[in-house]
């Protein structure tokens, strides 16, 4: 079964630590060039290949990632 | 399928638990404290015990934990959380009472309170975040600092001849009859986070049984104290902390027959 | 109905007073001369009858932090100890004061410094009323002079602790702790229910219902401007307490030439001194502070206007005498007579001190 997923990232609360990126099986997220008000380069979706596994969300210390997925 | 089509309530698979408040945590980027907070809060949410939980915060980086959990919370003096929790639990026997403590708090200044609460078999959960250093005060040596590890008060590395070896307090409390469940976990990969959450869930479930302390150590990072990036600190943790502090259950409840 | 009368030690009276007044928990560690409090409680085993928890802690540090935990739940919780143990509790007392929690602590004082002696002393006055722990805080301090007061002050102490959300200290000594006297005993007051606590003390740790935000008990404030506000609020509270809670009693002060000021055991001895002096034609009176903080400053100042001199009698090198001097200024000479290290002064030696005033 295949899934398609996506994220809502609370970019203002993201601290740009990057620990979420390591566990992403799709390598579809990265820290961007844009900075938030706190001055952190926050997380961005870089590829449309997310499968909604929530790996990124469960390791995020600040709980800023919300994950949605659908069966495709 | 567009992003808008996916983002619908029925497709939600993960969201921040409402048992955490909206306050932005003051922890350094990538610090494991935040993850551990979230797991505890998720367990409280899933068990539906928010109105029956009382937390006890330590002195250490997580001193402000009470600002992040939407549950009643007491801030204890440095090291005294197990004594504070002892009284709360004995006076509210049907509540879920947990302490949240760092290694300096639990294994140095609070060693006496830790051992005796465990020995009396207080029916509480102790969450012990071991990052091998004093984070809050700026990276001094902790009882759990590894041999030869550099800190601001062991600038040439921890000399075990002078300072003794790191204290494996978790193995120590596992020896006491008053502990019911003792485990060591970590939270730096998705798989480990999921396991750690199961352990925390079991620890809280155990409180219903009235069988003693459930003690969950989380080997965590302190990227500021270790002077590494968040990602590098997690690699360092795996390479250096885990050989000394191996993950897994140390004491599990005997199966009822 | 006539009250039950029992012959008891001061320490036992504290314990019985706790059980009877609806105390929820006692946490303590043995030390002479007050171990009877914990012993009596463990013999009585009040838990099955009243639900009062009694626990021997691993140290006084743990005891006072257990009290902190119980107090955070707005439970009536207490501890007791003697001087060295009370020294260990100073951090906890400061936290309880800082977090504005109600709690009761009993100090059956022995001679110091250090391990000192196990005999009676009053040398912990400074530690108690000047703030033995860190920060600007006050302990409401009750000084019993009889076994009856040991009993009564437990209930009174809890009343004051909850009224002001502040720790209360009963500052006793080894003499009153050990002496046996008749005590009038009350019926059992039931412990407060959790529903009552939730309604009366909305700040209490009771588990967060959906209807309110989470309660936090802390003494931490990182913003110094806010911490100053906290301190100002505490000071305002202490002022109200000073205006309303001063307690003292006087004996034969109306015509006195010499006023004795003494509390606790020393006040008992001083009453005998008055008798001896009056028999010899010396006009001596006594003011006994019952609250050491707030201190009967105004009353002492008033009396100082019609006496020739004031002598404090303390089992210490002279501690309360400083507060008496502050109350009196330079109006009349204020002197101190004291024995220490566990020695109890005899009435005769105090009479001699008065004669050579
Ligand atoms: C009685 C007392 N001594 C010392 C301190 C200073 N202090 C605050 S936190 C801390 C160490 C905290 O380290 P740890 O428990 O490992 O927690 P971390 O900050 O690493 O999470 C110390 C020594 C204090 N607050 N109180
Ligand atoms: S949900 Fe999974 S696939 Fe999608 S971004 Fe997160 S880790 Fe990558
Ligand atoms: S783990 Fe969380 S805070 Fe860190 S970069 Fe990823 S989303 Fe941002
Ligand atoms: S100092 Fe260390 S323990 Fe404290 S918040 Fe920063 S990374 Fe975490």
């Amino acid at each position: 079964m295949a899934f398609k997923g996506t994220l809502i990232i609370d970019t203002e609360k993201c601290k740009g630590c990057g620990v979420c990126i390591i566990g992403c099986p799709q390598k579809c997220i990265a820290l961007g060039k844009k900075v938030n008000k706190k001055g952190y380069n926050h997380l961005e979706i870089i590829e449309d290949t997310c499968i909604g596994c929530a790996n990124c969300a469960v390791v995020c210390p600040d709980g800023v990632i919300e994950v949605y997925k659908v069966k495709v | 399928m567009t992003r808008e089509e996916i983002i619908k309530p029925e497709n939600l698979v993960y969201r921040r638990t409402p048992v955490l408040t909206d306050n932005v945590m003051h922890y350094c980027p990538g610090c494991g404290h935040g993850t551990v907070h979230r797991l505890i809060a998720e367990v409280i949410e899933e068990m539906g015990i928010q109105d029956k939980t009382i937390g006890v915060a330590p002195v250490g980086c997580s001193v402000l934990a009470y600002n992040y959990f939407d549950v009643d919370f007491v801030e204890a003096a440095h090291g005294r959380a197990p004594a504070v929790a002892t009284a709360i639990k004995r006076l509210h026997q049907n509540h879920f009472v947990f302490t949240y403590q760092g290694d300096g708090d639990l294994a140095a200044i609070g060693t006496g309170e830790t051992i005796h609460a465990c020995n009396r078999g207080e029916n509480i959960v102790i969450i012990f975040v071991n990052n091998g250093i004093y984070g809050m005060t700026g990276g001094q040596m902790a009882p759990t600092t590894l041999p030869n590890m550099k800190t601001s008060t062991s600038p040439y590395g921890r000399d075990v001849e002078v300072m003794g070896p790191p204290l494996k307090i978790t193995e120590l409390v596992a020896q006491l009859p008053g502990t019911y469940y003792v485990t060591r976990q970590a939270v730096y990969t998705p798989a480990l986070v999921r396991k750690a959450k199961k352990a925390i869930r079991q620890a809280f479930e155990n409180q219903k049984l009235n069988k003693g302390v459930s003690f969950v150590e989380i080997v965590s990072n302190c990227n500021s104290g270790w002077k590494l990036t968040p990602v590098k600190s997690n690699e360092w943790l795996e390479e250096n902390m885990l050989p000394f502090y191996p993950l897994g259950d140390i004491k599990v409840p005997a199966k009822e027959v | 109905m006539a009250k039950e009368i029992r012959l008891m030690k001061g320490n036992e009276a504290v314990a019985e007073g706790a059980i009877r007044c609806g105390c929820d928990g006692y946490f303590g560690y043995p030390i002479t001369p007050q171990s009877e409090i914990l012993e009596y409680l463990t013999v009585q085993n009040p838990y099955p009858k009243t639900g009062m928890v009694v626990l021997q802690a691993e140290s006084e540090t743990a005891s006072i932090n257990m009290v902190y935990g119980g107090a955070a739940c707005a439970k009536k919780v207490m501890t007791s100890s003697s001087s060295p143990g009370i020294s260990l509790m100073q951090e906890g007392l400061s936290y309880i004061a800082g977090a504005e929690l109600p709690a009761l602590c009993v100090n059956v004082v022995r001679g110091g410094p250090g391990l000192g002696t196990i005999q009676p002393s009053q040398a912990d006055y400074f530690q108690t009323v000047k703030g033995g722990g860190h920060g600007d805080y006050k302990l409401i301090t009750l000084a019993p002079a009889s076994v009856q007061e040991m009993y009564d002050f437990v209930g009174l102490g809890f009343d004051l602790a909850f009224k002001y959300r502040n720790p209360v200290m009963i500052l006793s000594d080894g003499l009153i702790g050990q002496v046996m006297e008749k005590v009038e005993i009350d019926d059992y007051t039931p412990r407060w229910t959790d529903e009552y606590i939730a309604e009366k003390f909305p700040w209490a740790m009771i588990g967060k219902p959906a209807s309110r935000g989470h309660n936090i008990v802390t003494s931490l404030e990182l913003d110094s401007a806010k911490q100053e506000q906290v301190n100002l609020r505490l000071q305002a509270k202490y002022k109200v307490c000073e205006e309303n809670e001063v307690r003292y009693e006087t004996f034969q002060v109306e015509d006195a030439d010499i006023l004795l000021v003494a509390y606790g055991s020393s006040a008992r001895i001083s009453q005998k001194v008055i008798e001896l002096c009056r028999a010899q034609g010396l006009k001596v009176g006594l003011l006994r502070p019952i609250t050491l903080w707030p201190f009967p400053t105004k009353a002492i100042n008033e009396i100082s206007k019609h006496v020739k001199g004031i002598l404090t009698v303390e089992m210490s090198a002279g501690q309360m005498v400083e507060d008496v001097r502050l109350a009196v200024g330079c109006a009349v000479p204020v002197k101190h007579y004291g024995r220490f290290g566990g020695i109890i002064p005899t009435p005769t030696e105090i009479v001699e001190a008065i004669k050579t005033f």
Side-chain angles (χ1 to χ4, degrees), chain C residues 345-356:
Chain C
T346 63
T348 340
E349 63 187 85
I350 301 169
V351 173
E352 286 313 306
I354 292 170
K355 283 184 183 160
T356 59

Side-chain angles (χ1 to χ4, degrees), chain A residues 9-11 13-21 29-31 41-44 56-57 59-65, chain B residues 29-30 230:
Chain A
I9 302 162
D10 188 343
T11 52
K13 284 188 182 160
C14 170
K15 292 179 183 161
C17 68
V19 302
C20 54
I21 299 165
I29 46 176
L31 298 180
N41 292 84
H42 59 75
L43 190 73
E44 284 177 1
C56 53
V59 290
C60 171
D62 289 90
V64 306
I65 303 174

Side-chain angles (χ1 to χ4, degrees), chain C residues 1 13 16-17 57 59 101 106-107 192 199 273 314 319:
Chain C
M1 203 178 77
E16 190 63 39
S59 67
L101 297 177
V106 181
N107 184 357
W192 290 333
E199 194 196 310
V273 170
E314 300 177 68
Q319 301 192 6

Side-chain angles (χ1 to χ4, degrees), chain A residues 4-8 13 15 17-19 22-23 38 40 45 52-55 57-70 72, chain B residues 1 3 5-9 11-16 22 24-31 34-35 38 187-190 193-194 230-231 234:
Chain A
K4 184 158 175 57
T6 192
L7 315 176
I8 297 179
K13 284 188 182 160
K15 292 179 183 161
C17 68
V19 302
I22 316 291
K38 290 260 164 69
Y40 294 120
I45 302 170
C53 69
N55 272 1
V58 299
V59 290
C60 171
D62 289 90
V64 306
I65 303 174
E66 206 164 278
V67 186
Y68 293 82
K69 76 172 176 189
V70 288
V72 286
Chain B
M1 192 171 275
R3 194 173 135 81
E5 284 168 318
I6 305 174
I7 299 178
K8 286 186 180 151
N11 299 333
L12 180 73
V13 285
Y14 192 93
R15 58 119 174 74
R16 186 185 163 94
D22 287 336
V24 177
M25 296 190 203
H26 68 286
Y27 301 116
C28 305
C31 173
T35 315
R38 186 163 45 74
V187 293
Y188 64 91
T189 71
V193 167
R194 292 184 173 106
V231 171
N234 286 338

